Amino acid sequence: MLGGLTVFMALIALGSYASLNFETIKHLDPMPATISVTGEGEVLAVPDIGQFTFSVRAEAPDAAAAQEQSGTAVNNIIAFLKESGVEEKDIKTLNYNLYPKYDWVEQICAPGTFCNRGEQVQTGFEVNQSVQVKIRNTDDASAILTGVGEREATNISGLDFVIDDTDALAVEARALAIADAKTKAEELAADLGVDLVKIAGYYEEDARYAPSPFQNRAMSFEMDEDSAFGGAELPMGEDQTIARVTITYEIR
């Protein structure tokens, strides 16, 4: 009788232990199966602004005269830019330098003697000011560049046609990348014979903005009627913005 009772109690204990383990396993959260896809979006847009840099260099025996000479030329150019429709916010000084100028003066030494072969002698001052300009009406770029060159600019460089608001292009490219990723995920799920449950992860690369090699617009400098040269073309082309996203989906 006692032996049978002992066996019975042991069976109850084993049953309780097994039930506890089954309940624990049931509440475990195993890692769900997932798939990851990468989508890409590309946006091409014609540049809407042109920008270039001009500089004025002036030399004079004293600093004040050099500054006045340079300042007069720069002020004349800026006045012309404003008359041409360029806003003040689109005219920006990049650098302004004032420094002394030196020449090396050689000395003649008497035969058989030792002396200093020469020395640096200050001969005056030089001023160099560089200004960056944005042209929002790109059709005016040719005339504006010509006008700046006619007003004592010593150098004109870095003409670029770019997109002013690149953030809007990045948003558009990202939307296309997400749509591309969703399409790829649906196709992959169909091929695997599974269903998409929900998004389990998302990663986005910074949108990359870069000029495109494709060009669809050009501009040229206006020349005198007597000139045999028709003008240098200024291709605007298209700018390219690319966005990439990676989306991880839980599947079942």
Side-chain angles (χ1 to χ4, degrees):
M1 182 68 177
L2 181 59
L5 181 60
T6 300
V7 172
F8 178 71
M9 293 300 293
L11 290 173
I12 292 176
L14 287 172
S16 298
Y17 177 76
S19 175
L20 176 62
N21 277 277
F22 288 143
E23 289 295 323
T24 301
I25 292 173
K26 185 173 67 175
H27 287 88
L28 288 178
D29 185 20
M31 291 293 293
T34 61
I35 58 173
S36 293
V37 291
T38 298
E40 182 173 291
E42 178 186 46
V43 176
L44 297 176
V46 176
D48 53 7
I49 64 170
Q51 59 184 24
F52 69 94
T53 301
F54 74 87
S55 61
V56 172
R57 183 176 61 86
E59 296 182 22
D62 59 81
Q67 288 178 303
E68 181 179 357
Q69 183 180 338
S70 171
T72 300
V74 170
N75 291 344
N76 288 338
I77 294 174
I78 291 177
F80 163 74
L81 291 172
K82 292 180 178 179
E83 291 171 1
S84 302
V86 179
E87 299 182 37
E88 186 171 352
K89 67 178 182 178
D90 293 327
I91 305 172
K92 177 183 178 181
T93 295
L94 296 181
N95 58 68
Y96 185 96
N97 297 311
L98 169 65
Y99 47 88
K101 294 282 292 181
Y102 294 93
D103 280 344
W104 178 259
V105 179
E106 293 187 357
Q107 295 182 358
I108 300 177
C109 297
T113 64
F114 175 79
C115 68
N116 190 354
R117 290 292 182 183
E119 62 178 345
Q120 281 189 329
V121 177
Q122 183 175 335
T123 58
F125 288 85
E126 179 176 323
V127 173
N128 197 316
Q129 181 174 354
S130 296
V131 179
Q132 184 183 66
V133 181
K134 286 184 179 181
I135 305 173
R136 298 191 179 275
N137 185 356
T138 54
D139 292 335
D140 294 340
S142 174
I144 289 176
L145 287 174
T146 300
V148 170
E150 293 172 346
R151 287 167 174 77
E152 300 184 69
T154 52
N155 184 54
I156 300 175
S157 62
L159 175 63
D160 296 314
F161 294 106
V162 297
I163 299 294
D164 192 33
D165 184 8
T166 57
D167 291 340
L169 296 179
V171 170
E172 185 179 353
R174 179 179 61 191
L176 293 175
I178 292 173
D180 183 45
K182 288 181 177 180
T183 299
K184 290 179 178 177
E186 291 169 356
E187 293 175 351
L188 180 59
D191 292 340
L192 296 174
V194 298
D195 294 324
L196 301 176
V197 179
K198 62 181 180 179
I199 295 177
Y202 175 84
Y203 172 76
E204 176 183 336
E205 296 182 19
D206 290 335
R208 181 170 58 85
Y209 171 76
S212 169
F214 303 106
Q215 302 184 352
N216 64 346
R217 295 182 63 188
M219 302 176 62
S220 62
F221 285 109
E222 297 177 359
M223 304 295 293
D224 295 335
E225 293 181 1
D226 296 336
S227 174
F229 179 58
E233 290 191 347
L234 303 177
M236 291 179 60
E238 289 182 329
D239 286 353
Q240 179 187 56
T241 300
I242 297 177
R244 290 187 180 88
V245 301
T246 299
I247 302 178
T248 300
Y249 288 90
E250 181 180 332
I251 59 174
R252 64 185 174 192

